[in-house]
Amino acid sequence: MEGRSRNDHREIAHRLRNRRVEIQRGTSRQIIWGLSSEQLEQEVAPGRNRLIYLWGHLAAANDGLLPLLGVGERLHPEFDVMFTSNPDKSVPLTVSGPSLKAAWQEIHQKLWDGISKFSAADWAQRHTAVSEEDFEREPHRNRFTVLLGRTAHLAYHVGQATLARLKTE
């Protein structure tokens, strides 16, 4: 585009990134929040993960983004045992649908508060799981790449939840 500077393009890309995060967050919220406790027990497919497990898994993954992106400390590290380190139904869940919803809101508000302040240059910075030396060699290991991977992860599981939810209606 003629007449636009490189900084203008970066700012547009930055706004699009934020909008994509908002859309994914809203879509996942719409699909899962309205489900009853019984519906949350629905399996995505016979013998597969339940919806409450997927929701907790996504909450745990996004909670892990807080320190990875340098936004803050994790709010719910206890979710890892239930939703990340172990398959569904292998350990008892200590959360209910309403408490998971509250945790989801808390995690996403803190995450959004942090990343909405990022400039385009901030997104290009290394994430906390990569050393400065490795980042010198592999500059693609940045915050934006993490965001792309996590939004794809969210979209995958939201698709599973959508299919499972259709079976309950």
Side-chain angles (χ1 to χ4, degrees):
M1 298 171 104
E2 285 186 48
R4 292 205 182 239
S5 72
R6 179 177 244 188
N7 286 337
D8 289 338
H9 291 290
R10 286 184 181 152
E11 185 57 34
I12 290 167
H14 173 67
R15 280 192 242 135
L16 289 172
R17 250 189 318 274
N18 285 352
R19 183 70 183 130
R20 179 179 173 150
V21 170
E22 285 181 69
I23 290 168
Q24 288 288 60
R25 194 173 88 169
T27 301
S28 59
R29 206 172 35 225
Q30 286 176 331
I31 290 170
I32 298 174
W33 280 19
L35 297 177
S36 68
S37 294
E38 182 179 285
Q39 289 171 313
L40 286 172
E41 293 297 320
Q42 172 76 34
E43 293 178 333
V44 172
R48 305 301 293 183
N49 295 332
R50 295 169 296 162
L51 289 172
I52 194 165
Y53 181 86
L54 287 182
W55 193 10
H57 174 72
L58 291 171
N62 288 337
D63 192 42
L65 283 175
L66 295 169
L68 187 62
L69 297 176
V71 172
E73 294 302 312
R74 293 192 65 181
L75 299 172
H76 295 280
E78 71 277 9
F79 284 179
D80 283 352
V81 172
M82 292 180 280
F83 302 116
T84 304
S85 306
N86 295 293
D88 191 13
K89 302 176 195 160
S90 65
V91 297
L93 298 185
T94 59
V95 295
S96 64
S99 64
L100 189 54
K101 179 179 180 178
W104 176 271
Q105 288 175 297
E106 178 187 24
I107 292 164
H108 285 86
Q109 189 59 55
K110 184 170 181 178
L111 185 59
W112 181 249
D113 288 348
I115 67 174
S116 65
K117 295 174 188 166
F118 283 1
S119 67
D122 291 333
W123 282 109
Q125 297 300 309
R126 71 181 179 92
H127 58 75
T128 62
V130 64
S131 69
E132 290 184 29
E133 297 79 30
D134 288 344
F135 188 64
E136 287 267 333
R137 289 188 306 275
E138 302 171 277
H140 64 279
R141 295 176 67 186
N142 58 45
R143 291 170 167 169
F144 181 59
T145 302
V146 169
L147 179 69
L148 288 176
R150 293 299 169 92
T151 54
H153 177 235
L154 176 63
Y156 173 76
H157 288 309
V158 166
Q160 288 181 308
T162 301
L163 292 173
R165 184 175 177 172
L166 290 174
K167 289 192 274 184
T168 68
E169 295 176 347

